[in-house]
Amino acid sequence: MIRFTQAVRFPLVSFLFLLLSRVTLGQISYDFALSPGPQVVDIQGQPLAYPFAGGLTAPQWSPIDFDNDGDEDLFCFERDGNQLLMFERTAAGWAFRPDWAAGWPEMANWALLRDYDCDGLPDLFTGFQNAVYVHRNLGGPGANFEEVAGPLLASWDFGSGPSDLPVVVLSIDKPAIVDMDGDGDLDIITFTETSTTLYAFKGNIACGLDFTCTNRCYGMVSEGAEDNTLFYGEAFECDFNVANPGLVSEEETDRAMDMAAESRTGLHAGGALTLLELDGSGRPDLLMSDRVYPTIAALLMEASPSGLDSVAFVDMAFPSLLSHSGPADSVNCEAFPAGYPLDEDGDGDMDLVFSPNTTIEADDDRGVRLWHNVGTADAPEWAFVTDNWIQYGMIDVGRNAIPSFADLNGDGLMDFLVGNKERYEGIGNTPTALAWYRNVGTPESPSFAAVDMDAIDFGLNGIESAHPTTGDLDGDGDLDLIVGDELGLLHRYENTAGPGADPTWVLAELGMADDANATVDVGQFATPQLIDFNLDGLLDLVVGEKNGVLNLYLNTGSASAPEWSWATDNLGGIVVDNIFGINGYSVPCLFVDGAGCHMYVAGETGQIQDFGLWPAGSSDWGQALTEANASLAAGADIGTRAAATLADLNNDGLPELAVGVNTGGVRFFQGTGTHVAENVHLPPSSAILQVSPQPARPGQALRLTIPGGEYEMSGTFGAWTLHDAQGRKINHGEWPAGQSECTISAPMNSGIFVITVSAGDVASSSGQNTTGTASKGVPVAKHIVIAP
């Protein structure tokens, strides 16, 4: 029989590390909710309307009354990473609504909203493998769609009888979808496979999806195989059309076919089409662009004698030859503009938004052109408004944003760094930059103000794709900087400003060396994070790379003179997910709290993968960690090439998550709580304290037991205390005198918690004092699991 006589009180952190180290990996993780994020002020002192919308590169726009309030809101499909952004029209302007992006079908290549079934709800048309998929809008609240065509078919007849074949839209292209002839059904115009002529797919049934390919040479126009020259009128050639194009006479079909003197072959890199009325004729005209040109052509249409729509007039640099006013004569999007009609100013006529339909050599931070129609619907007059519509309200640093939270000026508030891969300033001019934003808010309410958008001139040393991480490397009380680069190297910048001042970083080591004086080189795209990984009080380096793995360099020097000792190039056996089965682009975003080191890693797919807690005290660097089933950004299509950072910005004990993505912006996730991962495996119960049931439901009664017969109570056992995994006390109470059992209520939220029991009169049977264990070596504490 064991009798206790001395109080057993232990530091909570010791309990957490001891208890959680006995649990296999992946047991607890944080919960996050996609959020508009804190306020951010730009370098001119102007508040950004939607700072954490993620940036824009190749957005596609459609109107939709998503909240059913009678006005049109804004749907934006970003084809660079297949992101969805939603904006609400308000009296104060457009408001970013990340919550509206939940529940939509998967989209790829392009996405347009069009009402095909005449119910007043815009349906979703999107691309996949050169075909068209259609999802019917079933109505809210929220996004509610069902797939009704995958792929969308049309009746084709090349002279040997009709066949049902898919409607063709090449993945790089954008089709035009509109009711061209006012008969109550949608029609579709796309480029043919050679990208020189146009398909016309005519709708046959009002409010339905029955199509016939009526023309392979729509508009009686073709585009040159080598450039964007247009051939129409007497120069038009079309050597392969469908039978009876446009449903006109066989004689007219033969005459059109005879016009082809030679076959034009060759492939363009892509084309985008938009149908809208430009001249008050009552007949939709055509906007057409080519992948390699910055302007867009306007093709004014008329009915030919045969009944086919034919090009009557061409403006190769819309709207230079049409009615226009304002500071610009023509649309110029650097490359491949695509047009999107919508009533942006709410005056009842269609305005035009133009944005690149490509991610290559596009102006990635000033790419969205807005032109208002300052005339009427019948007599439009086009006026240029801005070249960064919507985009101007976002953090957008070009390509592949890399955020990092750190207290840069020692005021106790977490500031914000944003690196990038590049910023497009012209062909061959794509510099890497580092922006920093000071936290001008409070400990409970962060707010950021831009201080410097180019804090370091990386071009002086040929550094590209600079990935920042900060830490005090020389022991002088301020934060120094290490950046990884595209070549897989690391570079150290010393902060010479001193504690409490804004940072001044000076290059101290170009191409950092390890403790053997060999240059640290992880291959390509080094993504470092400074963190005390082995909990010895010294900052270590965890470095991701293009191949998707993690490298670990332990600091075997001192706090003021680090030495980097290579430990492994396979930390945790982690290889992050990838898109094409090749790379992965791993980015460590590890986070240390009272439970230990959370192994979070971002990567190419845009998700932040959770590999659980690193086993406390383990130096088996290559042991295979088990991934939790859900990403920290689960369900959020935020883009690709994710880079993430975590910090508690509002002092609530839960970290916030910022994720930089390929489009050059940052998405923000508010910390909302914790949860138990599905792959949790718990050890057997300790003998000295038992808790049942386990796991328990939130709020359920829990029975705490000191087993009778093996342990004898002497006097009042004392008190019980419940802490969460972050070390916060959430409940406590007395243990009934002389009782071996005590009943308490489980916490109301899910997660892993620690119950500790402190005794009033406890000793071992041998009379020896104990320091945190009973004679069997088991702590007087226990973890408990509350499952959803």
Side-chain angles (χ1 to χ4, degrees):
M1 183 99 37
I2 299 176
R3 189 180 299 273
F4 299 90
T5 58
Q6 183 176 352
V8 205
R9 301 181 185 272
F10 318 109
L12 176 64
V13 171
S14 299
F15 272 132
L16 287 168
F17 279 120
L18 180 58
L19 293 173
L20 293 176
S21 68
R22 301 178 65 235
V23 183
T24 58
L25 302 177
Q27 68 238 225
I28 184 170
S29 187
Y30 291 100
D31 291 323
F32 298 91
L34 195 57
S35 163
Q39 183 184 61
V40 177
V41 173
D42 69 14
I43 199 71
Q44 286 81 33
Q46 299 299 312
L48 297 179
Y50 358 87
F52 295 99
L56 296 173
T57 300
Q60 302 179 343
W61 310 88
S62 297
I64 177 176
D65 183 5
F66 191 81
D67 53 3
N68 298 311
D69 64 352
D71 57 30
E72 289 185 335
D73 306 304
L74 197 58
F75 166 97
C76 174
F77 172 70
E78 170 59 64
R79 70 175 298 157
D80 188 7
N82 296 335
Q83 304 177 49
L84 174 59
L85 305 177
M86 298 289 291
F87 298 85
E88 180 183 3
R89 189 191 293 268
T90 71
W94 298 106
F96 179 47
R97 293 297 305 267
D99 53 316
W100 286 6
W104 286 75
E106 183 178 357
M107 291 168 265
N109 302 327
W110 58 271
L112 299 170
L113 299 181
R114 303 289 187 266
D115 181 11
Y116 82 83
D117 56 359
C118 312
D119 64 355
L121 301 174
D123 308 298
L124 175 64
F125 290 72
T126 186
F128 183 70
Q129 294 182 342
N130 299 332
V132 178
Y133 282 63
V134 184
H135 300 262
R136 181 170 178 255
N137 188 346
L138 302 178
N144 186 16
F145 290 84
E146 66 172 354
E147 184 178 296
V148 291
L152 180 64
L153 302 179
S155 177
W156 301 61
D157 187 351
F158 294 106
S160 58
S163 300
D164 286 337
L165 299 171
V167 173
V168 174
V169 180
L170 302 182
S171 61
I172 189 61
D173 292 350
K174 182 190 83 73
I177 306 176
V178 70
D179 182 1
M180 293 193 302
D181 46 16
D183 62 354
D185 53 49
L186 293 177
D187 308 296
I188 303 174
I189 307 297
T190 76
F191 274 98
T192 60
E193 294 85 348
T194 63
S195 295
T196 57
T197 57
L198 302 178
Y199 280 126
F201 297 93
K202 186 183 183 304
N204 300 318
I205 299 177
C207 308
L209 290 175
D210 184 37
F211 292 90
T212 298
C213 180
T214 59
N215 207 320
R216 201 175 185 272
C217 302
Y218 173 76
M220 309 293 279
V221 63
S222 64
E223 188 177 32
E226 306 300 332
D227 55 30
N228 67 338
T229 301
L230 296 179
F231 301 89
Y232 61 100
E234 293 298 325
F236 169 66
E237 299 174 359
C238 181
D239 64 341
F240 180 54
N241 210 335
V242 296
N244 206 21
L247 303 181
V248 297
S249 69
E250 185 175 350
E251 291 76 13
E252 293 293 339
T253 299
D254 292 340
R255 186 174 69 84
M257 298 292 285
D258 289 342
M259 292 178 64
E262 63 182 21
S263 174
R264 292 189 178 274
T265 60
L267 295 176
H268 277 178
L273 301 170
T274 302
L275 281 166
L276 78 162
E277 189 176 341
L278 298 173
D279 59 0
S281 67
R283 180 179 300 274
D285 303 300
L286 188 64
L287 294 176
M288 177 190 295
S289 64
D290 187 275
R291 164 65 185 85
V292 296
Y293 294 92
T295 57
I296 192 164
L299 287 67
L300 273 60
M301 311 296 288
E302 66 176 3
S304 71
S306 67
L308 297 176
D309 284 328
S310 299
V311 173
F313 176 83
V314 172
D315 179 357
M316 291 299 295
F318 171 84
S320 62
L321 301 182
L322 301 177
S323 180
H324 67 279
S325 59
D329 290 325
S330 61
V331 174
N332 188 317
C333 274
E334 296 292 332
F336 203 2
Y340 304 91
L342 53 91
D343 185 6
E344 194 276 338
D345 54 10
D347 66 354
D349 56 36
M350 284 293 122
D351 306 302
L352 276 167
V353 176
F354 297 92
S355 46
N357 202 45
T358 179
T359 64
I360 302 172
E361 295 177 359
D363 193 338
D364 43 32
D365 56 353
R366 302 188 70 86
V368 186
R369 272 67 170 166
L370 172 64
W371 289 70
H372 277 164
N373 180 1
V374 296
T376 65
D378 292 334
E381 179 181 332
W382 304 103
F384 172 76
V385 178
T386 180
D387 63 358
N388 61 353
W389 180 66
I390 295 291
Q391 197 171 23
Y392 72 93
M394 304 179 185
I395 295 173
D396 193 333
V397 297
R399 299 288 297 165
N400 295 8
I402 307 160
S404 179
F405 290 127
D407 183 4
L408 298 177
N409 54 4
D411 64 355
L413 302 176
M414 298 299 282
D415 306 303
F416 195 40
L417 282 174
V418 187
N420 72 343
K421 179 182 184 294
E422 62 191 17
R423 182 179 63 238
Y424 182 79
E425 296 182 354
I427 296 175
N429 185 15
T430 54
T432 289
L434 181 66
W436 86 274
Y437 297 81
R438 181 186 291 117
N439 190 340
V440 295
T442 68
E444 290 76 29
S445 180
S447 178
F448 298 99
V451 177
D452 194 339
M453 303 306 290
D454 288 285
I456 296 176
D457 187 352
F458 293 114
L460 289 175
N461 301 104
I463 296 173
E464 298 181 349
S465 301
H467 186 108
T469 183
T470 55
D472 186 0
L473 298 176
D474 50 13
D476 65 352
D478 57 26
L479 294 185
D480 306 300
L481 178 74
I482 290 177
V483 297
D485 73 7
E486 194 164 318
L487 300 177
L489 307 178
L490 304 179
H491 313 287
R492 178 171 59 88
Y493 289 80
E494 181 182 351
N495 186 354
T496 61
D502 288 347
T504 301
W505 287 303
V506 177
L507 182 64
E509 188 178 4
L510 186 66
M512 287 171 49
D514 62 16
D515 59 350
N517 205 33
T519 299
V520 174
D521 184 349
V522 300
Q524 290 180 291
F525 290 93
T527 59
Q529 182 182 5
L530 283 164
I531 188 171
D532 183 8
F533 185 74
N534 59 357
L535 304 177
D536 64 353
L538 302 177
L539 289 175
D540 307 302
L541 267 172
V542 179
V543 189
E545 59 167 294
K546 182 178 181 179
N547 285 346
V549 300
L550 296 181
N551 304 265
L552 173 62
Y553 288 82
L554 295 173
N555 183 353
T556 55
S558 66
S560 58
E563 295 184 2
W564 310 110
S565 177
W566 178 83
T568 183
D569 59 4
N570 187 37
L571 182 61
I574 292 171
V575 182
V576 298
D577 294 341
N578 57 75
I579 295 174
F580 299 111
I582 301 173
N583 298 310
Y585 293 96
S586 53
V587 179
C589 43
L590 313 185
F591 183 73
V592 174
D593 61 12
C597 183
H598 295 263
M599 302 295 291
Y600 300 142
V601 191
E604 185 180 27
T605 63
Q607 299 301 313
I608 295 84
Q609 295 174 248
D610 178 6
F611 292 90
L613 289 165
W614 182 260
S618 173
S619 59
D620 182 9
W621 312 121
Q623 64 181 290
L625 302 186
T626 302
E627 183 182 358
N629 291 339
S631 159
L632 301 194
D637 294 325
I638 59 173
T640 57
R641 292 293 297 274
T645 183
L646 295 101
D648 183 3
L649 299 181
N650 57 2
N651 205 30
D652 66 350
L654 299 171
E656 278 63 56
L657 170 69
V659 184
V661 289
N662 53 309
T663 43
V666 181
R667 306 300 296 273
F668 190 87
F669 292 78
Q670 188 71 44
T672 60
T674 59
H675 70 274
V676 180
E678 294 181 23
N679 61 347
V680 60
H681 300 286
L682 300 174
S685 297
S686 60
I688 196 169
L689 176 63
Q690 296 179 0
V691 182
S692 63
Q694 277 295 281
R697 297 187 304 275
Q700 188 174 8
L702 295 175
R703 186 172 68 252
L704 314 181
T705 304
I706 302 295
E710 187 174 359
Y711 299 97
E712 178 180 303
M713 304 301 300
S714 174
T716 301
F717 197 72
W720 58 268
T721 306
L722 188 66
H723 292 83
D724 66 14
Q726 287 74 51
R728 296 170 297 192
K729 184 169 72 172
I730 60 174
N731 205 353
H732 68 282
E734 292 185 356
W735 190 286
Q739 301 296 315
S740 60
E741 290 188 356
C742 178
T743 300
I744 68 172
S745 295
M748 295 306 297
N749 57 304
S750 61
I752 289 184
F753 300 82
V754 176
I755 180 75
T756 60
V757 177
S758 54
D761 185 17
V762 190
S764 69
S765 58
S766 62
Q768 296 176 339
N769 292 340
T770 61
T771 57
T773 64
S775 61
K776 290 189 176 184
V778 182
V780 185
K782 190 172 186 65
H783 61 269
I784 62 176
V785 177
I786 310 302

